Amino acid sequence: VFSKLIRNSSSHAIAWLEEFLINFENTVIVVSHDRYFLNKVCTHTADIDYGKIQLYAGNYDFWYESSQLLVKQMKEANKKKEEKIKELQEFISRFSANASKSKQATSRKKALEKIELDTIKPSSRKYPYVDFRPEREIGNEVLTVENISKTIDGEKVLDRISFILGREDKVAFVGGNEFAKTVLFKILMGEMEPDEGSYKWGVTTSQAYFPKDSTKEFDNDLTITDWLTGYSPVKDVTYVRGFLGRMLFPGEDGVKKVRILSGGEKVRCLLSKMMICAPNVLILDEPTNHLDMESITALNNGLIKFPGVILFASHDHQFVETTANRIMEIMPGGTLIDKITTYDEYLESDEMARKRFVYTANKEDDEN
């Protein structure tokens, strides 16, 4: 029995565990927010809603499609029943007083009484509304990075890293060198200075940053509404609460202190901040770590349709595969691999990448 065992685990460790569980010959019960993991490992899915469990034969995608299809079929069946009800009611209304049609009218009344509409109860699951709308369209010159190097505590974290971003790039930083990704993001956001090299943002760009560690952001006594108002270009409470409402913070939640929020609530606050700032470049460092399945799906969909540039790191395989069109991997020595491809294609075409993933997973397992 595993409960959210892969949360905050590296993609390498997750890949190793996937293969282990697939080959495990006995029963496994797992709770996870990683859709790719569930699709690859699970043969059955238990849907828990309103305190009731319904078992589906199939993986996560099969459950999702089946449950959506079931609701669709019930709605279509109800529509046909409503049309039949209307037809019977019209006949009864028209001919109930007609002696020659009275038997037919009575028969239709009985038929009408037998028709029952299916009760379609909305799911208790709630999806936030994630929609990043840039205030300004991004130009052709986005970001140029030239020979950036950084050494921390004697270790070479970044070694002469260079790349140029285009206006349609959605870049996923993958691999086991997670510290290097965070350092690079901090340098690009001006929170850390490189030892060597330079970077230049295009004049049309505006950036919003989702840090891996947001402790400082919430180390204050502000309410959620006051906190977000501080970042809003429109200092209107109703305007700000609209963004909070989209992220599942109803009116009464606006008076909560940000200091006491859960990990998932803090993530949703940070996403609200990024939306209200309306940037055309998003930098996200492990944004899915504290989110539930619904929020991950909403963020995933929001990034897919985002019309700007994205640089991000995530352990969620499906999140990376469906969002990124360019893959970068910072190697243990700080050098960079840069390929314009999807994540699955990157792993499939690069034998060494797959070997690195397996090696890192085994190394982590030995250390633990």
Side-chain angles (χ1 to χ4, degrees), residues 36-98:
Y36 181 88
F37 178 83
L38 294 175
N39 280 330
K40 196 164 183 181
V41 171
C42 298
T43 60
H44 291 72
T45 302
D47 180 19
I48 304 175
D49 207 3
Y50 291 109
K52 295 182 178 180
I53 299 178
Q54 186 168 355
L55 190 64
Y56 292 80
N59 61 17
Y60 174 81
D61 278 350
F62 180 84
W63 159 78
Y64 184 79
E65 292 169 5
S66 298
S67 60
Q68 295 299 306
L69 179 61
L70 180 61
V71 172
K72 182 181 179 182
Q73 290 174 335
M74 291 174 69
K75 287 181 177 179
E76 290 175 350
N78 274 355
K79 185 177 179 181
K80 290 181 179 179
K81 289 177 182 179
E82 287 168 351
E83 291 172 353
K84 186 64 176 178
I85 288 171
K86 184 179 178 181
E87 176 189 326
L88 293 173
Q89 287 175 335
E90 287 177 352
F91 186 93
I92 293 167
S93 176
R94 184 176 179 183
F95 296 110
S96 58
N98 188 322

Side-chain angles (χ1 to χ4, degrees), residues 46-234:
D47 180 19
I48 304 175
D49 207 3
Y50 291 109
K52 295 182 178 180
I53 299 178
Q54 186 168 355
L55 190 64
Y56 292 80
N59 61 17
Y60 174 81
D61 278 350
F62 180 84
W63 159 78
Y64 184 79
E65 292 169 5
S66 298
S67 60
Q68 295 299 306
L69 179 61
L70 180 61
V71 172
K72 182 181 179 182
Q73 290 174 335
M74 291 174 69
K75 287 181 177 179
E76 290 175 350
N78 274 355
K79 185 177 179 181
K80 290 181 179 179
K81 289 177 182 179
E82 287 168 351
E83 291 172 353
K84 186 64 176 178
I85 288 171
K86 184 179 178 181
E87 176 189 326
L88 293 173
Q89 287 175 335
E90 287 177 352
F91 186 93
I92 293 167
S93 176
R94 184 176 179 183
F95 296 110
S96 58
N98 188 322
S100 62
K101 300 277 189 177
S102 61
K103 286 187 178 181
Q104 294 180 39
T106 301
S107 174
R108 282 168 170 75
K109 282 182 181 179
K110 292 180 180 179
L112 181 61
E113 291 170 357
K114 292 179 180 179
I115 298 177
E116 293 184 3
L117 296 177
D118 294 320
T119 301
I120 303 175
K121 194 174 184 179
S123 173
S124 62
R125 287 180 288 270
K126 295 181 179 179
Y127 289 81
Y129 180 69
V130 180
D131 187 16
F132 300 102
R133 298 184 183 183
E135 185 179 10
R136 181 179 184 178
E137 185 177 353
I138 199 165
N140 291 324
E141 294 183 4
V142 179
L143 174 65
T144 300
V145 175
E146 293 185 346
N147 297 320
I148 282 184
S149 295
K150 185 71 176 179
T151 299
I152 298 177
D153 295 332
E155 181 183 350
K156 196 79 167 180
V157 180
L158 303 174
D159 186 10
R160 299 180 62 82
I161 284 182
S162 299
F163 59 86
I164 298 173
L165 292 188
R167 66 198 310 269
E168 296 181 351
D169 283 342
K170 295 184 177 181
V171 185
F173 285 81
V174 303
N177 198 353
E178 297 183 17
F179 181 58
K181 305 172 198 174
T182 298
V183 169
L184 178 60
F185 289 163
K186 285 185 174 182
I187 290 174
L188 296 179
M189 290 305 297
E191 295 185 4
M192 186 180 288
E193 290 293 326
D195 297 335
E196 302 173 29
S198 62
Y199 65 93
K200 183 180 179 181
W201 288 104
V203 294
T204 64
T205 64
S206 56
Q207 304 85 33
Y209 177 42
F210 183 104
K212 189 170 187 176
D213 182 359
S214 61
T215 304
K216 292 181 180 179
E217 187 75 68
F218 300 101
D219 187 18
N220 58 73
D221 293 315
L222 293 174
T223 64
I224 298 176
T225 301
D226 290 340
W227 175 85
L228 188 58
T229 301
Y231 296 105
S232 175
V234 180

